[in-house]
């Protein structure tokens, strides 16, 4: 039985994680921490693993505390920089950490498939669709997809457009010139399409998130396997054998 503490337990993701940990026969929820609670509860209640879905500054503190006290950490909070990853690597000497910007296994697979397909196609564009309250564009998943595809292939056909009637009609030029289009729509949750083209064929890879339960199988993979992957792991790919 893996003993789990959740930081951000009262949040949208935190509540879902608490339910998931309680419902799974292999995990036990031993600490729920939100604002004004002390991380010391993790030690008092003997947590093996801490899961964090909060905000960046809080997640940094959770990581430092877990590393210092030999507790494994599974972090879903987004926004970490490369400098943060360097700090975390120094902090985790006695326990392990997984920091995954996307726990939806379908999204992780979509990115991997797009990366695999990239060298075989001449053009690629990414369309991401999100709810109307999202303030940043493009989404982190879209930028990450473009980066991975650009790293897999630098050879893409140049954009033929010489005149845009509406500025931005061709989307934003990401790494290697891969175009990213952000749609904001009432009724949408989080969806992404990667379209790749070669002579006589196109390939479309699409992932749709309909609610937060989509993240829970990935969180459980993290909780159950973080002890098996030494040091600090970024992204769920390694845990899924991708
Ligand atoms: P939310 O605002 O609903 O929840 C955040 C929670 O953190 C709140 O309950 C808040 O009270 C708590 N909190 C704030 N300060 C705290 C402190 N000092 N100590 C303890 N708890 C504190 O947000 P959310 O929608 O649940 O998202 C949380 C994070 O998870 C965001 O960074 C979001 O981008 C990320 N996220 C990641 C994934 C993924 O797959 N990795 C999926 C969804 C969301």
């Amino acid at each position: 039985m893996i003993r789990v503490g959740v930081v951000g337990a009262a949040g949208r993701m935190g509540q879902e994680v608490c339910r998931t940990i309680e419902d799974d026969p292999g995990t036990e929820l031993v600490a729920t921490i939100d604002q004004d609670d002390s991380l010391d509860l993790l030690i008092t209640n003997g947590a093996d693993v801490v899961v964090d879905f909060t905000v960046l500054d809080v997640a940094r503190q959770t990581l430092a505390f877990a590393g210092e006290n030999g507790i494994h950490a599974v972090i879903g909070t987004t926004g970490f920089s490369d400098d943060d990853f360097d700090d975390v690597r120094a902090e985790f000497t006695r326990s392990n950490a997984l920091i995954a910007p996307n726990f939806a296994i379908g999204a992780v697979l979509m990115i991997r498939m797009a990366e695999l397909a990239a060298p075989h196609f001449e053009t690629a564009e990414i369309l991401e669709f999100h709810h109307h309250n999202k303030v940043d564009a493009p989404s982190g998943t879209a930028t990450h997809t473009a980066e991975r595809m650009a790293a897999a292939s630098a050879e893409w056909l140049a954009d033929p457009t010489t005149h845009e009637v509406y500025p931005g009609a061709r989307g934003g030029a990401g790494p290697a010139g891969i175009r990213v289009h952000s749609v904001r729509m009432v009724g949408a949750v989080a969806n992404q399409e990667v379209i790749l083209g070669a002579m006589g064929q196109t390939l479309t890879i699409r992932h749709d998130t309909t609610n937060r339960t989509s993240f829970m199988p990935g969180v459980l993979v993290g909780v159950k396997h973080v002890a098996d992957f030494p040091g600090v792991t970024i992204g769920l790919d390694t845990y899924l054998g991708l």
Side-chain angles (χ1 to χ4, degrees):
M1 188 68 93
I2 303 168
R3 298 169 64 81
V4 183
V6 176
V7 184
R12 284 167 289 199
M13 287 296 287
Q15 290 181 44
E16 198 67 47
V17 171
C18 289
R19 268 194 291 276
T20 302
I21 298 298
E22 280 181 319
D23 288 351
D24 192 280
T27 56
E28 184 185 357
L29 184 64
V30 297
T32 55
I33 297 170
D34 208 89
Q35 296 203 45
D36 305 328
D37 299 319
S38 168
L39 289 172
D40 289 338
L41 266 178
L42 296 169
I43 297 175
T44 320
N45 296 357
D48 306 309
V49 178
V50 59
V51 179
D52 181 300
F53 281 92
T54 56
V55 290
L56 190 54
D57 280 345
V58 176
R60 286 189 182 116
Q61 289 167 30
T62 304
L63 278 162
F65 184 90
E68 195 180 324
N69 292 287
I71 299 169
H72 299 305
V74 172
I75 308 293
T77 303
T78 50
F80 289 96
S81 66
D82 288 343
D83 285 348
D84 283 314
F85 295 145
D86 290 342
D87 292 346
V88 177
R89 284 189 188 98
E91 284 161 2
F92 278 79
T93 52
R94 292 197 288 136
S95 55
N96 308 330
L98 166 67
I99 303 175
N102 200 328
F103 275 102
I105 290 174
V108 176
L109 284 166
M110 168 185 62
I111 295 169
R112 179 71 183 122
M113 289 173 190
E115 180 180 56
L116 283 173
H120 304 286
F121 289 83
E122 294 168 284
T123 57
E125 308 218 359
I126 298 169
L127 289 81
E128 56 98 337
F129 309 76
H130 278 84
H131 55 86
H132 62 291
N133 289 320
K134 186 169 177 59
V135 293
D136 57 317
S139 70
T141 298
T143 54
H144 184 56
T145 308
E147 283 160 12
R148 293 265 298 267
M149 292 173 74
S153 174
E155 291 175 29
W156 299 99
L157 285 188
D159 184 353
T161 313
T162 54
H163 175 61
E164 275 183 322
V165 177
Y166 301 134
R170 290 286 297 119
I178 295 170
R179 297 273 159 179
V180 183
H181 308 262
S182 297
V183 178
R184 297 294 171 260
M185 194 61 59
V186 175
V189 180
N191 320 74
Q192 181 170 296
E193 269 182 30
V194 181
I195 308 172
L196 300 109
M199 292 308 280
Q201 59 183 323
T202 61
L203 171 66
T204 301
I205 305 164
R206 182 177 170 107
H207 178 254
D208 297 295
T209 304
T210 48
N211 69 47
R212 286 184 189 84
T213 55
S214 66
F215 301 113
M216 294 305 122
V219 171
L220 271 182
V221 168
V223 165
K224 291 184 176 179
H225 295 287
V226 65
D228 305 332
F229 289 88
V232 177
T233 305
I234 313 300
L236 205 53
D237 298 60
T238 322
Y239 281 49
L240 298 176
L242 297 176

